[in-house]
Amino acid sequence: MGEKRNEMSRRSFLFNAAVTGPLLFVLGPRVLKAQVEKAAEGEELIHYYAMGIQVNKCIGCGRCVSGCKTENNVPKDPFYFRTWVERYIITAEGEVVVDSPAGGMNGFQDLNEKYSILRSFFIPKLCNHCGNPPCVQVCPVGATFSTKEGVVLVDKDYCIGCRYCIQACPYGARFLNPRTKTADKCTFCFHRLSQGLVPACVEVCPTKARVFGEIGVRSSPLTRFLRFNELQVLKPDLNTEPRVFYANLDGVVK
Amino acid sequence: MPLPDQVKRLIIIFVLLAAGWLALRHRLVPETFGKAGFYRSAAVDSIVALPISYVGHEVCEGCHTDIAELKSASYHRDLSCEICHGPGAMHLEDPSTVKLKPPKERSLCTVCHGYNPSRPTGFPQIDPMLHNPMVPCSDCHNPHDPKPPNTPEECGACHGEIARSKSVSHHHDLACTFCHDTPEAHKENPRAAVPQKPKTRDFCGSCHGEKAESTKEIPRIDLESHGGTHLCWECHYPHHPEAN
C-alpha cells in the first residue's frame, strides 16, 4: 500500500493541476450559483396575510356583513357573525353609546336626534387573526390553529364544541355554529385567498374602507395602507398582536 | 442472576400497557395531525375546497365590457358589481338562465345614501322622505354613472341637513353665498371646487358689531370685549345661531 501511494508521477500531477485549477476557477462559481437558485426555487412562497380598516371611510352600509354571511354560509339569524359593524356615538355629555342592530347587516337607521351627537362613526370588526392568539392556546384538542400564512382557522371536524375558545377571544369574534355545533369564526375567506381573490367583505365594500393584502409584499395594497396611515390595533394591551390594523381609530373604541 | 418472577410479570404488564397505548394513539390521532403544527393539516385542505359565491369584479368586467368602461369613469368606479347585483357564481355557471337583476327599490340605494349622522362628512346622502319620495332612484340616476341628472339649483339639494337647520333659525333669510363664496364649478364638481368659509371675527362683526350698518333688530356685541380671541363660530353655530 505504502508504495502505491506515490503512483502519480510529478509530471502527471502538474498536468492535472494545470487543467483542473483554471477549470474550477471558471466553472465553480457558476455551479454554486445554479445550486443556490435551485434551492430558492424549491422553497415554498409564504404569504403573510393581514387586513387594514380605514375607519373614516366606513359608511355603515353593512354590505360586508351580509356578503360574509352569503359567502361563508353563516346562519342568517341576527346574532351569528364572522364580521360585524358597530356604531359609536359620543354624546355632547361625553357618554359613549355603542350599538350594532343585527350586526349592521341591514344598515343603520338614523336615530332621529335621540342623542345630541358630539361625534359618531362606524367600526367594522372581525377576527383579528392574532399573532399570539388566546383562542388557540386554550383549545384542548388542537382544533383551532394558526396556519403558516398567519390565519387562525377552526377544524370543524375535530372541534368538540367545548366553547373555551369563544370565552377566550377578547374580541368576541367567535360563536358556536348552531348547525355544526362547533366553534366558527372569520377565516379571512381562506378558500378565496387560495384562488387569488380577496375576502368577500373586502370585495363588497363600496368605499374601500377595508384593505387586504400581504405583509412584506411591496405591490400589495396593504403595504400602501401600512405606509400612509397611523395605525392602531384593538386592545393592544393584551399583547395578542392583531393582524387587523385600524387607521383613524378613535380612542373610545374597545 | 435470573430476574425474580414478580419483576418479569411487571415487565410484561408494562410492555402490554405501552403497546396498548401506542395502538390506541395510532387509532385516535388523525393521520395528518402534527405534520405542520399542533393541528390536522387536512382541515386546511377542506377549508380551501369550500365553494365561492362572490366571483370578483374582474370576472364581470371580462364580459360586460361596455358597463365596466362606463363605470370606470364614474363616482361608482370603486364599487364591485356584486355589491348591488349580488353574488355572481351561479350566473357565471349558467349566464343564460340565472340573471342578476338588482332590485329597483329605493332601499337598495339608501342603505348607503340615506342620511345618517354617523357617516363620514362629505359622503353623498339624501333624506329618502324628502328627496323625490316613491320614485325609483334609477329613474334619474344611472347606477353605473350616478351623476346628478341636472345641476342642483339650491345648496339644500345636497346640504339638506344644513338647509333644514338654517330654515328654522334667525339666519333663515341669509343666502348660503352670503357667507360662503362659492365657485360656479362647485355645482358640477363639488370636491374640485370647494366653497370658501369666513375666516375672521370681523366678518360676523360686519352685521353684529356695534358700529355695523345693519338693521336695528340684529343683536350687537362689542367685538373688542366679547369672547376674547375666540372665533365666533367656536361658540355660535352659524347655521342655527340661537342653538346651544
Side-chain angles (χ1 to χ4, degrees), chain B residues 14 16 20 25 38 49 70 76 84 90 101 114 120 159 161 178 189 203 237 242:
Chain B
F14 272 118
L16 281 177
R25 194 177 179 281
F38 192 69
L70 177 67
H76 275 175
C84 304
M90 302 274 275
K101 277 268 174 217
H159 306 278
E161 279 298 301
F178 187 84
N189 205 345
F203 183 85
Y237 181 51
E242 52 274 55

Side-chain angles (χ1 to χ4, degrees), chain A residues 17 42 74 160 164 168 181 196 220:
Chain A
V74 178
I160 55 171
Y164 280 167
K181 305 275 190 294
S220 165

Side-chain angles (χ1 to χ4, degrees), chain A residues 56 58-59 61 63 67 71 87 108 110 120 122 145 154-155 157-158 190-192 194-195 197 203-204 206 208, chain B residues 30 33 39-40 43-44 47-48 51-57 78-80 83 111-112 116-120 123:
Chain A
N56 58 349
C58 179
I59 57 169
C61 62
R63 296 306 87 202
E71 178 70 34
R87 167 167 59 189
F108 290 80
D110 184 3
S120 180
F122 298 105
F145 52 92
V154 177
D155 180 351
D157 300 324
Y158 208 49
F190 202 72
H191 58 300
R192 295 174 63 83
S194 57
Q195 299 197 22
L197 296 164
E203 175 71 29
V204 301
K208 295 247 185 291
Chain B
F33 197 96
Y39 63 93
R40 212 168 56 95
V44 179
I47 289 172
V48 165
I52 278 170
S53 299
Y54 289 92
V55 295
H57 58 99
D78 283 344
L79 267 71
S80 169
I83 297 171
V111 78
C112 294
N116 191 319
S118 307
R119 296 206 211 276
F123 185 78

